[in-house]
Amino acid sequence: MYKLFFRLVFKRMDPEQAHYAAFRWIRLAARIPVLRTFVAAALAPRYKELRTEALGLRMHGPFGLAAGFDKNAVAIDGMAMLGFDHIEIGTVTGEPQPGNPKKRLFRLVADRALINRMGFNNEGSAAVASRLAARNPVFRTTVGVNIGKTKVVPEAEAAADYVRSTEALAAHADYLVVNVSSPNTPGLRNLQATESLRPLLTAVREAADRTVTTRRVPLLVKIAPDLADEDVDAVADLAVELGLDGIIATNTTIARAGLGLKSGPELLGETGGLSGAPLKERSLEVLSRLYARVGDRITLVGVGGIENAEDAWQRILAGATLVQGYSAFIYEGPFYARAIHKGLAARLATSPYATLAEAVGAETRKKAAL
């Protein structure tokens, strides 16, 4: 039914407007007690065998919503109602900003992909922090907060901008993510170089510890799939050196590998970050490389091209404790998380692993032993 609805309605709408329309419906459903109870029962069944401990947090399962969908923390309960085990909001910047000029979001339906150059459009750290502080949760879920650089802030002042967001948001975050990998903010990806990344992460860690003294807020960094392998290794080594809690692999790509001409040359020429199915192979490669480098010393989160339970299972076997999706949600609809949970439970039951934790990294370890 959703796929029919997508073809007849969403496909005919501007992608960004369709996003906001779907967002409004999700938020509305979450506000109506009877409806949200019914939807959650249908779409968010719990599998005890999928219960996951990561980043010092207990979650219903390993599958969450990637950053970018709920930039301003307005639909956390709605997304939990749809079955996501953790919700990563953002990217949030120190200052509010409108993002890049429209049109800035494009569907490549035949390739099951998206291109976006949204440009961190969000209400800013103060507004989002205020909303999180006032939130009265309906569903128990894990909330991650993804922070990025304000566009007008010079690269030399990036650390101070991230610190500002950290001071506003850390108290409201179950975990915090430093995003240095979006291709849509000029100069942002330069911060992935270890000489820039080390002082940035150190400053954010210190700010989080100053701001929140009653607990340690887990800190992760999100990296691009376009990093060279040696740079992936360097970020992995730095994360271990700094005692980082995790790495998210990966953000969108500026490459266009894996795209056919099915979606039309006018779309293939659009600038911005590519997400969805074409990102699957490289994202998995980066994840496997990271796990081979860091093992179980830090938590890895796999994201990029996760369309179904098999994709999620392969990320877990490669080394991901947590997995995230976004683009496939647009194409698969409200049963997306439910299908992944059901499929993961089935795969675990027929696997040689007693628990999901045992499966994490099993294939990467096996390859290393050959």
Side-chain angles (χ1 to χ4, degrees), residues 32-63:
I32 303 172
V34 173
L35 184 55
R36 71 177 177 236
T37 300
F38 173 79
V39 173
L43 302 184
R46 303 302 183 190
Y47 294 84
K48 62 180 181 180
E49 62 269 37
L50 297 183
R51 290 175 186 165
T52 300
E53 291 194 17
L55 306 171
L57 305 167
R58 293 182 178 179
M59 306 183 197
H60 294 298
F63 186 60

Side-chain angles (χ1 to χ4, degrees), residues 24-41 77-78 81 138-139:
R24 285 192 293 270
W25 297 335
I26 292 168
R27 293 170 65 188
L28 177 62
R31 291 194 188 108
I32 303 172
V34 173
L35 184 55
R36 71 177 177 236
T37 300
F38 173 79
V39 173
D77 283 320
M81 174 187 71
V138 174
F139 298 103

Side-chain angles (χ1 to χ4, degrees), residues 70-93:
D70 186 359
K71 296 177 183 293
N72 293 305
V74 297
I76 294 171
D77 283 320
M79 303 316 295
M81 174 187 71
L82 296 183
F84 292 98
D85 300 312
H86 64 275
I87 317 296
E88 191 171 308
I89 65 158
T91 295
V92 183
T93 54

Side-chain angles (χ1 to χ4, degrees), residues 4 34 59 78 92 100 122 132 134 158 219 240 250 254 258 292 346 350 359:
L4 177 62
V34 173
M59 306 183 197
V92 183
N100 292 323
N122 74 104
L132 288 170
L219 180 63
V240 172
T250 61
I254 58 173
T350 58

